[in-house]
Amino acid sequence: MKLIIDRREGESFVCEDENGKRVVIPCVQAENAEAGDIVEYADGSYKVLAAETDERRRRMNKLLDSLWE
């Protein structure tokens, strides 16, 4: 299951799954993660999917830039 981290609240990350459902995970299970990262659960922790996160950020920035043209 892939999640997008929306924000940090205390010692938890509030995330959104692929269906738009809110999921809360402990920060200790997603080390080195931050808001906007795409993470996937494996081996008892969440791993940041760097390539997918970068691609998503690139698409979001392109969309935002198009609003100003």
Side-chain angles (χ1 to χ4, degrees):
M1 170 174 54
K2 293 180 185 177
L3 303 171
I4 298 172
I5 298 175
D6 179 52
R7 65 187 178 279
R8 182 180 181 144
E9 288 187 358
E11 296 301 315
S12 300
F13 285 123
V14 178
C15 307
E16 186 175 299
D17 71 7
E18 296 164 340
N19 298 315
K21 182 179 175 186
R22 188 176 74 151
V23 178
V24 178
I25 61 172
C27 291
V28 297
Q29 286 188 335
E31 293 182 28
N32 302 319
E34 58 184 42
D37 284 347
I38 299 173
V39 295
E40 185 171 47
Y41 189 76
D43 300 324
S45 65
Y46 289 86
K47 178 183 176 192
V48 175
L49 302 175
E52 289 185 40
T53 298
D54 291 342
E55 175 61 22
R56 180 176 179 273
R57 286 189 175 133
R58 186 192 63 73
R59 284 193 324 265
M60 299 301 282
N61 285 334
K62 185 177 179 180
L63 179 61
L64 287 171
D65 288 345
S66 73
L67 295 174
W68 299 110
E69 292 178 355

